[in-house]
Amino acid sequence: MATAIPETPRIDPHRSPDQRQGHSGNGGWRNLVPEDGDLHVALEYSPPPSSTGIWVVLFAITMMFAAFTSALIVRKGSSQDWHTFTLPSILYFNTLLLLASSVTLEVSRRRVATFMGGLKSQVESPARWLYITLFLGLLFVAGQYVAWSQLRAEGLYLSTNPSSSFFYLLTATHALHVLGGLGGLIYVIRKLSKLALRRSQLVATVRYWHFMGILWLYLLLLLWMKL
């Protein structure tokens, strides 16, 4: 009975050792590219981690505040001790601060694109607009603290009433996420100063910050209607 002997693989002497093993120094990306394809094009079209990760973060935040909203509606509907109160007027000023910060960040995003695009001589450093956005964000958080202080002066604490509990919960959780956005702005400023800022990093930070503004408008409307 004849035995078939497998043919010995033919090795191309012009290929590097990594290519002979079926991979490259790019973590195996070349295996996903056709023989006549371009590895650079394949890498360019692959989404950067910051671009993908920001959508996951925004989705998780959305689900969390959706759960808070559902809990608020159910608690108010089944509660006999729910007491409404007037929202601190400074919240509306804080809203203007957060909206203004989104405008300044958008201006900064466009200036960064021009600055990093090789036109540094035609545009001033966009870091100033990033600092303005950072300052407005800090003012927003400080304004939220003033709102909490005003409620405490009126005798409304976290455990005073279910309505005041939800107010502190929603506004404090949002403020913590705003602080996270401020950390992202500081990271972008540092990267920009070293001329090592990537477009995906800036876009992710901008999307997150704009989302914080939209989320706050939703929370303010919710609190105004339910509290």
Side-chain angles (χ1 to χ4, degrees):
M1 180 176 180
T3 302
I5 301 176
E7 182 179 356
T8 303
R10 303 176 63 182
I11 301 177
D12 187 353
H14 299 289
R15 300 177 66 189
S16 64
D18 285 341
Q19 291 175 323
R20 296 172 191 173
Q21 297 177 9
H23 61 81
S24 66
N26 295 286
W29 281 100
R30 193 174 299 277
N31 294 335
L32 305 178
V33 184
E35 293 183 359
D36 57 347
D38 187 355
L39 175 61
H40 176 72
V41 174
L43 292 175
E44 182 178 358
Y45 278 93
S46 61
S50 57
S51 178
T52 304
I54 191 61
W55 292 114
V56 176
V57 171
L58 297 185
F59 178 78
I61 296 175
T62 300
M63 291 297 99
M64 179 176 60
F65 279 94
F68 288 160
T69 301
S70 177
L72 185 152
I73 294 175
V74 172
R75 183 68 175 86
K76 181 180 180 180
S78 61
S79 176
Q80 301 296 329
D81 57 348
W82 188 279
H83 299 293
T84 60
F85 59 89
T86 303
L87 296 178
S89 57
I90 195 174
L91 293 181
Y92 305 104
F93 177 71
N94 295 344
T95 302
L96 293 178
L97 289 175
L98 197 56
L99 293 178
S101 68
S102 288
V103 174
T104 58
L105 183 57
E106 189 62 25
V107 172
S108 179
R109 182 188 65 82
R110 298 183 180 184
R111 289 179 176 267
V112 167
T114 304
F115 184 80
M116 300 299 291
L119 301 178
K120 301 179 180 62
S121 59
Q122 300 182 19
V123 63
E124 60 183 3
S125 175
R128 182 180 68 175
W129 290 95
L130 289 172
Y131 280 116
I132 293 175
T133 304
L134 184 65
F135 178 70
L136 292 174
L138 289 173
L139 283 182
F140 172 82
V141 176
Q144 296 296 79
Y145 179 79
V146 172
W148 300 330
S149 299
Q150 290 178 355
L151 286 185
R152 289 196 299 268
E154 298 175 6
L156 293 173
Y157 298 91
L158 179 63
S159 59
T160 300
N161 189 267
S163 58
S164 62
S165 298
F166 275 103
F167 177 86
Y168 282 105
L169 174 65
L170 293 174
T171 56
T173 304
H174 178 267
L176 287 176
H177 285 88
V178 170
L179 289 176
L182 293 176
L185 287 174
I186 294 174
Y187 177 81
V188 167
I189 292 173
R190 292 181 58 185
K191 284 290 186 178
L192 180 62
S193 64
K194 299 177 181 179
L195 299 181
L197 179 64
R198 295 183 179 181
R199 180 178 180 273
S200 60
Q201 296 170 339
L202 177 62
V203 170
T205 303
V206 171
R207 286 175 178 171
Y208 181 90
W209 193 259
H210 289 338
F211 178 80
M212 286 296 106
I214 296 173
L215 178 60
W216 172 247
L217 290 176
Y218 163 76
L219 291 177
L220 184 63
L221 179 61
L222 177 68
L223 294 172
W224 179 76
M225 293 178 60
K226 298 299 181 180
L227 300 185

